[in-house]
Amino acid sequence: MVSFDTIRATGDVEVDVGIRIYALAARLFPICRSITGDGVRETLQVLGQHIDLTQYEVPTGTQVLDWTVPQEWNTRDAYIKDPSGRKVLDFADNNLHVLGYSAAVRQTMPLSELKSHIHTLPEQPDLIPYRTSYYSEQWGLCMAHNELLQLEEGEYEVLIDSEKRDGHLTYGEYVHKGQSERDVLLSAHICHPSLANDNCSGLALLACLAKALRARKTRYNYRFLFAPGTIGALTWLAGNEDKIPRIDHGLIVSCVGDGGGPNYKRSRRGNSLIDQAMQYVLNADGRQGKISDFSPYGYDERQYCSPGFNLPVGLFQRSAFGTFPEYHTSADNLDFISPEHLGSSYRMIMDAIDILEMNWTPINLFPKGEPQLGRRGLYSALGGDKSAGETAMGYLWVLNLADGNHTLLDIAQKSHMSFRDIARAAQLLLANGLLAEAPEQDQAGEASSSGQA
Amino acid sequence: MVSFDTIRATGDVEVDVGIRIYALAARLFPICRSITGDGVRETLQVLGQHIDLTQYEVPTGTQVLDWTVPQEWNTRDAYIKDPSGRKVLDFADNNLHVLGYSAAVRQTMPLSELKSHIHTLPEQPDLIPYRTSYYSEQWGLCMAHNELLQLEEGEYEVLIDSEKRDGHLTYGEYVHKGQSERDVLLSAHICHPSLANDNCSGLALLACLAKALRARKTRYNYRFLFAPGTIGALTWLAGNEDKIPRIDHGLIVSCVGDGGGPNYKRSRRGNSLIDQAMQYVLNADGRQGKISDFSPYGYDERQYCSPGFNLPVGLFQRSAFGTFPEYHTSADNLDFISPEHLGSSYRMIMDAIDILEMNWTPINLFPKGEPQLGRRGLYSALGGDKSAGETAMGYLWVLNLADGNHTLLDIAQKSHMSFRDIARAAQLLLANGLLAEAPEQDQAGEASSSGQA
Amino acid sequence: MVSFDTIRATGDVEVDVGIRIYALAARLFPICRSITGDGVRETLQVLGQHIDLTQYEVPTGTQVLDWTVPQEWNTRDAYIKDPSGRKVLDFADNNLHVLGYSAAVRQTMPLSELKSHIHTLPEQPDLIPYRTSYYSEQWGLCMAHNELLQLEEGEYEVLIDSEKRDGHLTYGEYVHKGQSERDVLLSAHICHPSLANDNCSGLALLACLAKALRARKTRYNYRFLFAPGTIGALTWLAGNEDKIPRIDHGLIVSCVGDGGGPNYKRSRRGNSLIDQAMQYVLNADGRQGKISDFSPYGYDERQYCSPGFNLPVGLFQRSAFGTFPEYHTSADNLDFISPEHLGSSYRMIMDAIDILEMNWTPINLFPKGEPQLGRRGLYSALGGDKSAGETAMGYLWVLNLADGNHTLLDIAQKSHMSFRDIARAAQLLLANGLLAEAPEQDQAGEASSSGQA
């Protein structure tokens, strides 16, 4: 396996970052994670080699909103031995073999009884399914259906050497400090065992993105959250009520390593700036991304977008969860994701961040008639040329819509020009004293004290 | 002709009710109705055998809004005898032969003069047209064009033994009492003579529906109105100003016995709950109904939706009036309507009533994050299964949109789930203490004291 | 060339007016115009033979918003003589040969040096381009690329006998007085030299339209503006701030003599009455006009729709500027425009004016139920006839939507009936005492004191 720190740069930023993300995802892949336990800690320790993570430990039994932090679960070993004593299933081969949060068992039983505890996928008979039972006590194992069919009658020895005990729920957080008091939330779930796309890809991508942001002065704080799905998000929300009103934008990141999509699911608000920015990015540069309305099934946007919080948090994916055959099976492995796709996913998220960072609301200081651009060297000297006007279109659009009701992204969308061209035109107009910056509005629509950088 | 009360049930509710409606329509068909007169009374008397109708008699000359109740019109006999004394037109054969509200005449005249009083349909030469002249004094007869062509020159004896005199306008009303003080108006016009679809079908369907509601506890009062078109609706509106603000929903029912459509014409408001409910019903269960915007031509929705009332009253039909060749001709007879179509029309109206009855606005009592459904037995124990989430989608949609701004019907539409599934999920969430019911809003948008049943 | 005043009428108004407009455009075509100078004055003098124009002279150096009125520019002569002394370019042949606002020059130079001052169109090698340099000091000439290619090496004598000096910017204004204090602005740019479509067509059309309005009592004042593009509009806006709030509707008129389009570009407001009226007109009578959203490039709508004014002013054209190959070349000559197209353009603008004049907001005085139209002779006596209702549809639509929230144009659009039919129905209902007129709202949405005529 390639070492993350010895990868040679190719010179192409997107390719390079894709290779680095892949290497980190590959490093995370073998670890046996669940919603609690040492696998989460080991994952955070690997991520912590790249970014300055803070690790939080929340005790079992802690009330988090309507939920309670469960007992911590760890598994040391698990196997099935056939009547001849041969291991026909071994946790050491693949950590999907054990039902998440399975009870412990050490027993000998006939095949018929064993079968009732074994989960398979008859329609994908060579794949091991991923199954969990967090809140209902049972023991279980998962295996390929074809392997199950080959088992002969007889007495089988089953071992699941797992332990549920009072302990902690563990999650990691990293904050890149920006110039304002407003936050962008970026979150990836850390609770899935050896599933590469879902969600080693998201964990690795966000870690590399956090690392890249360190070199950059930003307007926003970027809060990176690596926490178990559902219970982790609920735990964070329950413990950080003071920070919630500061979240202006958010993105859940999962399944970002395959070549599908890209897909973006809007926040419940439906037209927050992150929704507009992702829609813009997923349709720029020839990408034909798919934009879906919010629905309450999926990843942790379910919690952030519950009606009591209703945060502007969307979901970014390549293939949408549940729609690709590898989903929640052993086929979601390191062959299913690629540096190329991880790199392009990274690019799209970074493009959206660029918009969040560079977006502002201009006010035309010469709103009556057009200001004379030519005198300021902003306009072609020669009139009458059909193409002359086109080069000045960015200026004209920005000036015309700089009434305090349009952000640069709004102007890009109305003009069908690129956000970069509009942002560049606005910057030049600002430098020439033709624009001022409107006081920033936070998501709730009230003026905040944070200025654009 | 089948007797209404001796029909054998087939066991299929929709088929059974269709047979019953057809039998009642057939019983009403031969009666000679107009906007006033004994035909209306006889029709109400037949309907009164099934529901406890109140019959109202409003005297000629009563001012009703901008109109005046006209004289009462009754016809005893009418015929044309050819020069040989043979009856070539006889009121006893078909009551369409007499122009509605025709003046009386008893006269002998040459064919050429007679012709100026005879209405035919040259493009449908075998059919008798339906024609009226309520407010302009004239006498006239209607016959098949081909029959007219066969008349030879000569002196014809014409009799119209009709009478216009001060009397009454008659209409019937039946109210099914519900638990609230809010009303649903269901209305069918009673003024057309022997036209089966337009509107024996509507009269019979509403009578059977009223009968069925007796067995049901409802939230709303259901006010059934059997009144002559235009002048009857105006008379009711003029005399019931106190009841008008109580009408939350309404439906005009006509032409519900043929196999066309279904068609729904929205109320003038365009997006009242009855509009939403009918749109939902006409597109559920594979029906590909046609929804039209309000227009001021049609049946009594013209009056209820006049700008001074602007009630949430739509029009339900199978084939839309004026669009089918049988419309307003002798071909709109008992062969043109069928039990099957009457039954399915009944089903659609009852489905809409179910929505009116079962719709409410939920409030999530645990709006921060998702409440833990599994602990309450509302969620599949086994995680990771692709289909597991689907069964819980109803809960998730209701909880997510239970912010007081979405009715169950809104949620069904946003989720693309069936209203029944959403209503069932909401009921279970309510029973589990996860939801409360928002105070009901009346159509005017103000909170009313009527609670959901 | 046909004299404007001796044209024989054909009897067809649209044809006649087209011929008159063409004749006037042809009279204006040869004049060498620019944004200032004697060409503008001569143009206004010709227009002044038809309408009672007021001519304004604004001194060089006057500050107009962010701009300054430039020096006045006039050209007496210009040519290029080849080494043999033959004139290979002569201003007398075509005034496009001189770069607008060119500096003066009298010099002999080698062909290679000369070429750097000559503008051509290599892709349209037989056409002379139209080029200007108002605000950047340079000298230049324009010629057909093929003619340039034929020039042999050698010394050329170049003369541009032009003069820039302190003088005036000239524009003309004509106001047709109406009954209210509200204005309609109609404007055509006067600054282009011999370009027939852009904009002799607009100047001539507006002059003829102004002449026609003299015979008509109008509700609005019609303010006709003949001013140089950009600097002329800015000059008018700077000097007439008191009149700006009175402008309820406006139209920039250019390129109205060719057979393309018709095209309408909405005002920045997007849904002002002029936008609605032009959209209606461009889709009535089988015209399949193209409606575009506002963009800040084009003609003087750029200034009127700048965010500090944001006036309801749109742009009407046949072929859209910049999209036809003749645009800004010597091919935009009198062969490119025709009486037929000028006549139909005139018709469309006059149709929109008719809507502005005839549009009003009716209030139903009998809003509860339908008033009895038959009693007032407004309704067919014979009921039941399928077509009977159709003739009354105009009445029904107007009455139903006469709630104070719908103008006649709104009603025409909702009913899919023609504006004329709706207006006629409303007039009859008004005459019968069934309607009142709502107090007029100005564009800002506040009631104004101006009543409908």
Side-chain angles (χ1 to χ4, degrees):
Chain A
M1 198 170 296
V2 197
S3 153
F4 182 76
D5 290 314
T6 59
I7 295 165
R8 267 230 330 260
T10 67
D12 177 321
V13 173
E14 191 171 309
V15 171
D16 282 354
V17 79
I19 292 170
R20 286 171 194 279
I21 297 167
Y22 185 87
L24 179 52
R27 173 74 187 77
L28 300 175
F29 182 73
I31 303 170
C32 180
R33 281 165 295 268
S34 183
I35 53 172
T36 62
D38 293 330
V40 176
R41 291 188 191 96
E42 185 182 346
T43 300
L44 291 175
Q45 180 258 325
V46 173
L47 296 175
Q49 292 165 10
H50 303 288
I51 48 173
D52 190 19
L53 270 185
T54 305
Q55 185 169 322
Y56 293 87
E57 298 278 350
V58 181
T60 296
T62 305
Q63 183 75 14
V64 289
L65 302 169
D66 188 52
W67 301 57
T68 307
V69 171
Q71 287 196 307
E72 184 174 329
W73 179 73
N74 286 291
T75 296
R76 276 172 295 267
D77 194 10
Y79 60 75
I80 301 173
K81 286 188 183 164
D82 71 8
S84 73
R86 192 174 57 92
K87 280 190 180 172
V88 296
L89 177 153
D90 190 346
F91 179 61
D93 293 339
N94 194 320
N95 57 39
L96 297 178
H97 278 316
V98 177
L99 176 74
Y101 263 64
S102 174
V105 68
R106 176 186 295 269
Q107 206 177 327
T108 300
M109 64 187 69
L111 179 61
S112 59
E113 185 185 342
L114 174 62
K115 277 184 171 173
S116 71
H117 291 272
I118 293 188
H119 304 277
T120 67
L121 294 167
E123 296 187 1
Q124 295 173 295
D126 293 321
L127 304 182
I128 309 166
Y130 165 55
R131 292 286 181 275
T132 63
S133 181
Y134 300 134
Y135 300 100
S136 161
E137 180 77 4
Q138 55 179 297
W139 70 264
L141 292 160
C142 301
M143 68 190 292
H145 195 66
N146 280 342
E147 307 228 342
L148 179 67
L149 293 179
Q150 286 167 17
L151 300 188
E152 293 176 4
E153 294 300 328
E155 291 291 309
Y156 285 76
E157 183 192 339
V158 186
L159 170 82
I160 302 180
D161 180 10
S162 69
E163 185 187 39
K164 258 183 259 184
R165 56 169 174 76
D166 285 356
H168 295 84
L169 177 150
T170 311
Y171 70 87
E173 202 176 4
Y174 168 73
V175 179
H176 167 81
K177 195 75 196 67
Q179 290 165 310
S180 76
E181 298 298 315
R182 312 298 306 164
D183 290 4
V184 177
L185 176 73
L186 295 166
S187 174
H189 61 277
I190 202 170
C191 51
H192 285 192
S194 293
L195 297 169
N197 203 34
D198 178 18
N199 195 23
C200 295
S201 71
L203 297 168
L205 187 153
L206 285 193
C208 291
L209 197 142
K211 202 170 181 179
L213 279 187
R214 285 188 313 191
R216 192 165 159 185
K217 288 203 168 183
T218 60
R219 184 206 304 208
Y220 288 105
N221 301 317
Y222 287 80
R223 183 176 302 278
F224 292 84
L225 197 56
F226 304 93
T230 305
I231 189 68
L234 293 163
T235 298
W236 188 88
L237 284 162
N240 292 277
E241 293 239 11
D242 57 319
K243 301 195 184 68
I244 292 169
R246 291 166 41 174
I247 298 174
D248 276 354
H249 321 286
L251 213 49
I252 308 296
V253 175
S254 76
C255 303
V256 288
D258 74 297
N263 277 281
Y264 177 71
K265 185 171 91 174
R266 291 190 179 95
S267 75
R268 186 178 183 274
R269 298 185 180 195
N271 199 28
S272 63
L273 182 56
I274 187 69
D275 299 321
Q276 294 176 47
M278 288 301 293
Q279 175 151 354
Y280 176 85
V281 166
L282 261 63
N283 285 288
D285 301 335
R287 296 169 196 139
Q288 301 191 305
K290 189 180 158 213
I291 310 294
S292 317
D293 281 334
F294 180 77
S295 76
Y297 192 62
Y299 294 100
D300 284 337
E301 70 280 5
R302 292 164 63 163
Q303 311 310 325
Y304 296 108
C305 297
S306 58
F309 295 117
N310 199 23
L311 291 171
V313 173
L315 168 65
F316 176 65
Q317 301 186 288
R318 299 302 296 266
S319 287
F321 70 86
T323 65
F324 51 95
E326 297 83 358
Y327 178 71
H328 279 193
T329 74
S330 51
D332 181 0
N333 57 30
L334 291 171
D335 293 335
F336 182 55
I337 66 172
S338 79
E340 175 196 352
H341 301 315
L342 290 162
S344 65
S345 296
Y346 175 95
R347 180 72 266 150
M348 290 183 245
I349 297 175
M350 201 54 113
D351 284 353
I353 288 175
D354 284 348
I355 291 176
L356 300 182
E357 287 292 318
M358 296 197 295
N359 197 40
W360 53 286
T361 300
I363 301 275
N364 184 340
L365 296 175
F366 294 79
K368 294 191 170 184
E370 291 170 9
Q372 193 178 4
L373 296 176
R375 158 159 68 85
R376 296 171 174 92
L378 296 171
Y379 210 85
S380 163
L382 190 67
D385 183 346
K386 287 181 204 184
S387 69
E390 306 229 351
T391 61
M393 286 307 280
Y395 298 130
L396 296 180
W397 274 109
V398 171
L399 287 167
N400 191 271
L401 295 177
D403 57 7
N405 298 317
H406 298 86
T407 68
L408 297 188
L409 184 56
D410 294 333
I411 297 171
Q413 287 170 327
K414 276 209 160 188
S415 66
H416 303 289
M417 294 184 67
S418 82
F419 178 80
R420 275 176 198 285
D421 286 347
I422 289 296
R424 192 180 305 120
Q427 207 56 42
L428 284 164
L429 292 169
L430 184 69
N432 277 272
L434 292 169
L435 295 180
E437 198 181 322
E440 211 169 339
Q441 307 284 316
D442 69 19
Q443 289 285 332
E446 290 166 64
S448 79
S449 58
S450 64
Q452 188 242 2
Chain B
M1 197 170 296
V2 197
S3 153
F4 181 76
D5 289 315
T6 58
I7 295 166
R8 266 232 327 263
T10 68
D12 176 319
V13 174
E14 191 171 312
V15 171
D16 281 355
V17 79
I19 291 170
R20 287 171 193 278
I21 297 167
Y22 185 88
L24 179 52
R27 174 73 186 78
L28 299 174
F29 182 74
I31 304 169
C32 180
R33 281 165 294 267
S34 184
I35 53 172
T36 62
D38 292 332
V40 175
R41 291 188 190 92
E42 184 182 346
T43 300
L44 291 175
Q45 181 259 323
V46 173
L47 296 175
Q49 292 165 9
H50 305 286
I51 49 174
D52 189 19
L53 268 185
T54 305
Q55 186 168 319
Y56 293 88
E57 298 279 350
V58 181
T60 296
T62 305
Q63 183 75 15
V64 289
L65 301 169
D66 188 52
W67 301 57
T68 307
V69 171
Q71 287 196 308
E72 184 174 330
W73 179 74
N74 287 291
T75 297
R76 276 174 294 269
D77 194 10
Y79 58 76
I80 300 173
K81 287 188 183 163
D82 70 9
S84 72
R86 189 176 59 93
K87 280 191 182 172
V88 296
L89 176 151
D90 191 345
F91 179 61
D93 293 339
N94 194 320
N95 57 39
L96 296 178
H97 279 316
V98 177
L99 177 73
Y101 264 65
S102 175
V105 68
R106 177 186 296 268
Q107 205 176 327
T108 299
M109 63 188 71
L111 179 61
S112 60
E113 185 184 341
L114 174 63
K115 276 184 172 173
S116 71
H117 292 272
I118 294 189
H119 303 277
T120 66
L121 293 167
E123 297 187 2
Q124 295 173 292
D126 294 322
L127 305 182
I128 310 166
Y130 164 55
R131 291 284 181 275
T132 64
S133 180
Y134 300 134
Y135 299 100
S136 162
E137 180 77 4
Q138 55 180 297
W139 69 265
L141 292 158
C142 302
M143 67 189 294
H145 196 66
N146 281 343
E147 307 229 343
L148 179 65
L149 294 180
Q150 285 167 17
L151 301 187
E152 294 177 4
E153 293 300 327
E155 292 290 307
Y156 284 76
E157 184 192 339
V158 186
L159 170 82
I160 301 180
D161 180 10
S162 68
E163 185 187 41
K164 258 182 262 185
R165 55 168 174 77
D166 285 354
H168 295 84
L169 176 148
T170 312
Y171 70 87
E173 202 175 4
Y174 167 74
V175 179
H176 167 82
K177 195 75 196 68
Q179 292 165 308
S180 76
E181 297 299 316
R182 313 299 305 165
D183 289 5
V184 177
L185 176 74
L186 295 166
S187 174
H189 60 276
I190 202 169
C191 51
H192 286 192
S194 293
L195 297 169
N197 202 34
D198 179 18
N199 194 23
C200 296
S201 70
L203 297 168
L205 187 152
L206 285 193
C208 291
L209 197 141
K211 201 171 181 180
L213 279 186
R214 285 187 313 191
R216 188 163 162 186
K217 289 205 168 181
T218 60
R219 184 207 304 208
Y220 288 104
N221 301 316
Y222 287 80
R223 181 176 303 278
F224 293 83
L225 197 57
F226 304 93
T230 304
I231 188 69
L234 293 162
T235 299
W236 188 87
L237 284 162
N240 291 278
E241 294 239 11
D242 57 321
K243 300 196 184 67
I244 292 169
R246 292 167 40 174
I247 298 174
D248 276 353
H249 320 286
L251 212 49
I252 307 296
V253 175
S254 77
C255 303
V256 288
D258 73 298
N263 277 281
Y264 177 71
K265 185 172 91 174
R266 292 190 179 96
S267 76
R268 186 179 182 275
R269 297 184 181 195
N271 198 29
S272 63
L273 182 56
I274 187 68
D275 299 320
Q276 294 175 48
M278 288 302 292
Q279 175 151 353
Y280 176 85
V281 166
L282 262 65
N283 285 288
D285 302 335
R287 296 167 195 139
Q288 300 192 306
K290 190 181 158 210
I291 310 295
S292 316
D293 281 335
F294 179 77
S295 76
Y297 192 60
Y299 293 100
D300 285 337
E301 70 280 5
R302 290 164 63 162
Q303 311 309 325
Y304 297 108
C305 297
S306 58
F309 295 118
N310 199 23
L311 292 171
V313 173
L315 168 65
F316 176 64
Q317 302 185 286
R318 299 303 295 265
S319 287
F321 68 87
T323 65
F324 51 96
E326 296 83 359
Y327 178 72
H328 280 193
T329 74
S330 52
D332 181 1
N333 57 31
L334 290 171
D335 292 334
F336 182 54
I337 66 172
S338 77
E340 174 196 354
H341 302 316
L342 290 162
S344 65
S345 296
Y346 175 95
R347 180 72 267 151
M348 290 183 244
I349 297 175
M350 200 56 112
D351 285 351
I353 288 175
D354 285 346
I355 291 177
L356 300 182
E357 287 291 318
M358 297 197 294
N359 198 39
W360 52 286
T361 301
I363 301 274
N364 185 339
L365 297 175
F366 294 79
K368 295 191 170 184
E370 291 170 8
Q372 194 179 3
L373 297 175
R375 158 156 71 85
R376 295 173 174 91
L378 296 170
Y379 211 85
S380 164
L382 190 68
D385 184 347
K386 287 180 203 182
S387 70
E390 306 230 352
T391 61
M393 285 306 281
Y395 298 130
L396 296 180
W397 273 108
V398 171
L399 287 167
N400 191 271
L401 294 178
D403 55 8
N405 298 317
H406 298 87
T407 69
L408 296 188
L409 184 55
D410 293 332
I411 297 172
Q413 287 171 326
K414 276 209 161 188
S415 66
H416 303 288
M417 294 183 67
S418 82
F419 178 80
R420 276 175 198 286
D421 287 346
I422 289 295
R424 193 180 303 122
Q427 208 56 43
L428 284 165
L429 292 169
L430 185 68
N432 276 273
L434 293 170
L435 295 180
E437 200 181 321
E440 211 168 340
Q441 307 286 315
D442 68 18
Q443 288 286 331
E446 289 166 64
S448 79
S449 57
S450 64
Q452 189 240 1
Chain C
M1 198 170 298
V2 197
S3 153
F4 182 76
D5 289 314
T6 59
I7 295 166
R8 267 229 332 261
T10 67
D12 176 320
V13 173
E14 191 171 310
V15 170
D16 282 354
V17 79
I19 291 170
R20 287 171 195 278
I21 297 167
Y22 185 88
L24 180 52
R27 173 72 186 79
L28 300 174
F29 181 74
I31 303 170
C32 180
R33 281 165 295 267
S34 184
I35 53 173
T36 62
D38 292 331
V40 175
R41 290 187 190 94
E42 185 182 345
T43 300
L44 291 175
Q45 182 259 323
V46 173
L47 296 175
Q49 292 165 11
H50 304 287
I51 48 174
D52 190 20
L53 268 185
T54 304
Q55 183 169 321
Y56 292 88
E57 298 279 349
V58 182
T60 296
T62 305
Q63 183 74 14
V64 289
L65 301 170
D66 188 54
W67 302 58
T68 308
V69 170
Q71 287 197 306
E72 183 174 330
W73 179 74
N74 286 291
T75 295
R76 277 173 293 266
D77 194 10
Y79 59 75
I80 300 173
K81 286 187 183 164
D82 70 7
S84 72
R86 191 177 59 92
K87 280 190 183 173
V88 295
L89 176 153
D90 191 344
F91 178 61
D93 293 339
N94 193 319
N95 56 39
L96 296 179
H97 278 317
V98 176
L99 176 73
Y101 263 64
S102 173
V105 66
R106 175 186 298 267
Q107 206 178 328
T108 299
M109 64 187 68
L111 179 60
S112 59
E113 185 184 340
L114 174 62
K115 277 183 170 173
S116 71
H117 291 273
I118 294 188
H119 304 277
T120 67
L121 293 167
E123 297 187 2
Q124 294 173 294
D126 293 321
L127 305 181
I128 309 166
Y130 165 55
R131 291 286 181 275
T132 64
S133 181
Y134 300 134
Y135 299 100
S136 160
E137 179 78 5
Q138 55 179 297
W139 69 265
L141 293 159
C142 301
M143 68 190 292
H145 195 66
N146 280 342
E147 306 228 342
L148 179 66
L149 294 179
Q150 286 166 18
L151 300 188
E152 293 176 4
E153 293 301 326
E155 291 291 308
Y156 284 77
E157 185 191 336
V158 185
L159 170 82
I160 302 180
D161 181 11
S162 69
E163 184 187 40
K164 258 183 260 184
R165 56 170 174 76
D166 285 355
H168 294 84
L169 177 148
T170 311
Y171 71 87
E173 202 175 4
Y174 167 74
V175 179
H176 168 81
K177 195 72 197 69
Q179 291 163 310
S180 77
E181 298 298 316
R182 312 299 305 167
D183 289 4
V184 177
L185 176 74
L186 295 166
S187 174
H189 60 275
I190 200 170
C191 51
H192 285 192
S194 293
L195 297 170
N197 203 35
D198 178 20
N199 195 21
C200 295
S201 70
L203 297 168
L205 187 153
L206 285 193
C208 291
L209 197 141
K211 202 170 180 179
L213 281 185
R214 284 187 314 191
R216 190 164 161 185
K217 287 204 170 183
T218 60
R219 181 207 307 207
Y220 288 105
N221 301 317
Y222 287 80
R223 182 176 301 278
F224 292 83
L225 196 57
F226 303 93
T230 305
I231 188 69
L234 292 163
T235 298
W236 188 88
L237 284 162
N240 292 278
E241 292 239 10
D242 57 321
K243 301 196 184 68
I244 292 168
R246 293 167 39 175
I247 299 174
D248 276 354
H249 320 286
L251 213 48
I252 308 296
V253 175
S254 76
C255 302
V256 288
D258 74 298
N263 276 283
Y264 177 71
K265 184 172 90 175
R266 292 190 178 97
S267 75
R268 186 178 182 274
R269 298 184 180 196
N271 199 28
S272 62
L273 182 56
I274 187 69
D275 299 320
Q276 293 174 49
M278 288 301 292
Q279 175 151 354
Y280 176 85
V281 167
L282 262 63
N283 285 288
D285 300 336
R287 297 169 195 138
Q288 300 192 306
K290 190 181 158 211
I291 311 293
S292 316
D293 281 334
F294 179 77
S295 76
Y297 192 61
Y299 294 101
D300 284 338
E301 71 279 7
R302 291 164 64 162
Q303 310 311 324
Y304 297 108
C305 297
S306 57
F309 295 118
N310 199 24
L311 292 170
V313 173
L315 168 65
F316 176 64
Q317 301 185 286
R318 300 303 297 265
S319 287
F321 69 86
T323 65
F324 51 95
E326 297 83 357
Y327 178 73
H328 279 192
T329 74
S330 51
D332 181 0
N333 57 32
L334 290 171
D335 293 336
F336 182 55
I337 66 173
S338 79
E340 174 197 353
H341 301 315
L342 290 161
S344 65
S345 297
Y346 175 95
R347 182 72 266 150
M348 290 183 245
I349 296 175
M350 202 55 115
D351 284 352
I353 287 174
D354 285 347
I355 291 177
L356 299 181
E357 287 292 318
M358 296 197 294
N359 197 40
W360 52 285
T361 301
I363 300 274
N364 185 337
L365 297 175
F366 295 79
K368 295 190 171 186
E370 291 171 8
Q372 194 178 5
L373 297 176
R375 156 158 70 87
R376 297 173 174 92
L378 297 170
Y379 210 84
S380 164
L382 189 67
D385 183 346
K386 287 181 201 182
S387 70
E390 306 231 351
T391 62
M393 285 307 281
Y395 298 130
L396 296 180
W397 273 109
V398 171
L399 287 167
N400 191 271
L401 295 178
D403 56 7
N405 298 317
H406 298 88
T407 68
L408 297 187
L409 183 56
D410 294 333
I411 297 172
Q413 287 170 327
K414 277 209 160 187
S415 65
H416 303 288
M417 293 183 68
S418 82
F419 178 80
R420 275 177 197 284
D421 287 348
I422 289 295
R424 192 180 305 120
Q427 207 56 44
L428 284 165
L429 292 169
L430 184 69
N432 276 274
L434 293 169
L435 294 181
E437 197 180 326
E440 209 167 344
Q441 305 286 316
D442 68 19
Q443 289 285 332
E446 290 164 64
S448 80
S449 57
S450 65
Q452 189 240 2

